[in-house]
Amino acid sequence: MRNIFVLLFFFILTGSVSVNAQTLPDQKETLAVMKKVNGYFMKKYADYTIPSFYGRVRPSNIWTRGVYYEGLMSLYGIYPHEDYYRYAYDWADFHKWGMRNGNTTRNADDHCCGQTYIDLYNICPSDPNMIRNIKASIDMVVNTPQVNDWWWIDAVQMAMPIFAKFGKMTGEQKYYDKMWDMYYYTRSQHDETGMFNQKDGLWWRDQDFNPPYKEPNGEDCYWSRGNGWVYAALVRVLDEIPADEKHRQDYINDFLTMSKALKKCQREDGFWNVSLHDPTNFGGKETSGTALFVYGMVWGVRDGLLDRKEYLPVALKAWNAMVKDAVHPNGFLGYVQGTGKEPKDGQPVTYKSVPDFEDYGVGCFLLAGTEVYKLK
């Protein structure tokens, strides 16, 4: 009888282990879908020098492309394919490692490309010219008193990680201090109340959406991708700053607060709506915000900040939904909202609709997939 109980316990135990193991996406499949989505993009946009022509001409080192290269560099980190490195390096070199509005720009969208410049430099730090322009621009921001540059929450992702990267690279506290001052102003002081509603755990996109602005259902307007930008920025900053950085716990607290809020408003199908608190206002699946939430949650689980049992099922449900419902056989990524700042912008958002800019959606997806691939 005792042997029977031992065997029964063994089968239950091994069965449980087997089930738990199977909940993680297969690494080969995860890599394959990332390669497919990225391959579609690199083939369609093989000439990285061509500017965009939506309304006006914009060079290819604008923020949308900068976000794509953030994702590509993450993919390169787990799959160092020479074509990926060359595609990024040649793009940066074509733009002379500069920003669309020059070294004197304070605009976070202009700074976004600098994240990839720094990543490329860190791979082979032999040519200081690779980071000279972005460092000059960030140093100008650091050495001047203004802290109100990031008046829209997208800016937090576009620029904030650069300060963290330079702080790590140089060991100089001034980058961390300025980063916090600017983040805190956007978070808690801009337009008197700041952009972060700690009660709901989510961010208003800019002062246009602070109360008394309401969604059609009477809720505050929390734009999915805008919150995704902040969520991703916190991850990218926490990945760089030291364990004893004086504001690290403040960033962690905001990350945990957001995680709890995002978990509550996930759709049944795994995606998130463009409007997080009003599914009736241009409701439906949306990939870019969803991908950023997956990126943050999986990183949080891997880093031990988020409870694995509570948050991993949320993130994997979203990842599996994107892979199943958004990725076309040829690698095109559906359900990506076009550029804008609120639910009504960049519509329609459908499986077949092509957003005005395809690049940032791919970048967000690659960031998410890379974190999923690293799961054990």
Side-chain angles (χ1 to χ4, degrees):
M1 181 64 71
R2 179 176 178 276
N3 290 338
I4 293 175
F5 281 117
V6 170
L7 286 172
L8 182 61
F9 176 78
F10 174 79
F11 284 124
I12 291 174
L13 179 63
T14 55
S16 174
V17 171
S18 177
V19 170
N20 287 336
Q22 290 174 7
T23 61
L24 296 182
D26 181 82
Q27 279 191 321
K28 292 181 179 179
E29 293 177 3
T30 299
L31 180 59
V33 75
M34 284 193 287
K35 289 168 62 179
K36 180 166 68 172
V37 170
N38 184 63
Y40 164 86
F41 182 86
M42 284 182 59
K43 181 178 180 180
K44 183 172 181 178
Y45 298 93
D47 188 347
Y48 47 79
T49 70
I50 297 177
S52 64
F53 296 93
Y54 293 104
R56 57 190 173 90
V57 176
R58 297 176 176 86
S60 66
N61 61 346
I62 59 172
W63 71 266
T64 65
R65 195 60 57 92
V67 172
Y68 162 72
Y69 281 107
E70 289 177 44
L72 181 64
M73 295 308 294
S74 292
L75 175 57
Y76 180 79
I78 62 167
Y79 186 71
H81 196 288
E82 177 64 22
D83 287 350
Y84 298 167
Y85 176 83
R86 184 52 54 187
Y87 190 61
Y89 183 93
D90 289 350
W91 162 79
D93 197 52
F94 169 76
H95 290 290
K96 299 179 180 178
W97 307 90
M99 291 143 286
R100 63 171 175 166
N101 289 310
N103 294 358
T104 58
T105 183
R106 300 181 67 96
N107 187 283
D109 287 348
D110 293 345
H111 287 151
C112 184
C113 58
Q115 295 194 47
T116 298
Y117 298 167
I118 296 170
D119 288 347
L120 288 166
Y121 173 79
N122 284 335
I123 291 173
C124 186
S126 58
D127 183 2
N129 285 322
M130 296 166 71
I131 58 170
R132 179 175 60 83
N133 294 323
I134 184 61
K135 189 172 185 299
S137 189
I138 297 300
D139 282 349
M140 175 198 63
V141 175
V142 169
N143 294 326
T144 50
Q146 299 97 311
V147 295
N148 60 352
D149 296 279
W150 301 340
W151 53 264
W152 73 111
I153 62 174
D154 315 32
V156 177
Q157 194 286 143
M158 304 305 157
M160 187 170 162
I162 299 175
F163 290 75
K165 288 174 182 290
F166 276 132
K168 182 178 181 178
M169 181 187 299
T170 66
E172 295 185 68
Q173 183 66 32
K174 65 180 183 180
Y175 294 104
Y176 298 144
D177 290 345
K178 189 69 174 188
M179 176 176 69
W180 170 256
D181 290 344
M182 296 177 73
Y183 173 77
Y184 184 77
Y185 181 87
T186 302
R187 176 193 187 278
S188 303
Q189 296 178 325
H190 182 68
D191 197 37
E192 297 184 357
T193 62
M195 298 294 105
F196 187 40
N197 184 352
Q198 296 185 64
K199 177 177 176 290
D200 286 343
L202 297 169
W203 296 65
W204 298 294
R205 196 270 179 177
D206 56 54
Q207 65 185 33
D208 291 343
F209 300 95
N210 284 25
Y213 185 95
K214 296 292 182 182
E215 288 282 70
N217 71 347
E219 293 279 344
D220 283 4
C221 181
Y222 299 118
W223 180 44
S224 179
R225 189 165 65 235
N227 277 270
W229 292 137
V230 178
Y231 201 53
L234 290 170
V235 165
R236 295 176 73 74
V237 166
L238 289 168
D239 242 356
E240 300 287 346
I241 62 177
D244 61 351
E245 207 288 315
K246 59 186 176 182
H247 290 294
R248 183 178 181 85
Q249 191 58 50
D250 295 310
Y251 297 129
I252 290 174
N253 291 342
D254 287 353
F255 175 77
L256 295 177
T257 300
M258 288 191 73
S259 298
K260 184 177 180 180
L262 293 169
K263 178 176 177 286
K264 290 180 180 179
C265 55
Q266 185 180 32
R267 291 164 50 96
E268 280 296 317
D269 60 18
F271 284 83
W272 276 266
N273 292 297
V274 293
S275 181
L276 295 175
H277 275 196
D278 188 352
T280 66
N281 189 23
F282 296 94
K285 303 170 183 177
E286 202 287 307
T287 299
S288 64
T290 298
L292 291 168
F293 300 148
V294 171
Y295 171 55
M297 280 191 191
V298 176
W299 181 89
V301 168
R302 290 185 53 249
D303 198 65
L305 293 178
L306 296 178
D307 181 79
R308 187 181 181 94
K309 291 182 180 179
E310 182 179 358
Y311 284 95
L312 189 57
V314 176
L316 292 184
K317 183 178 183 180
W319 172 253
N320 291 332
M322 288 192 296
V323 171
K324 176 179 177 290
D325 296 342
V327 178
H328 287 230
N330 68 348
F332 170 71
L333 197 61
Y335 296 110
V336 174
Q337 184 185 17
T339 56
K341 66 175 187 177
E342 60 180 306
K344 72 176 179 61
D345 293 337
Q347 297 286 342
V349 179
T350 67
Y351 177 70
K352 294 183 178 181
S353 58
V354 180
D356 49 2
F357 292 86
E358 293 186 66
D359 37 17
Y360 60 84
V362 175
C364 295
F365 185 83
L366 296 179
L367 288 171
T370 300
E371 286 302 308
V372 171
Y373 179 89
K374 294 176 182 176
L375 281 167
K376 295 180 180 178

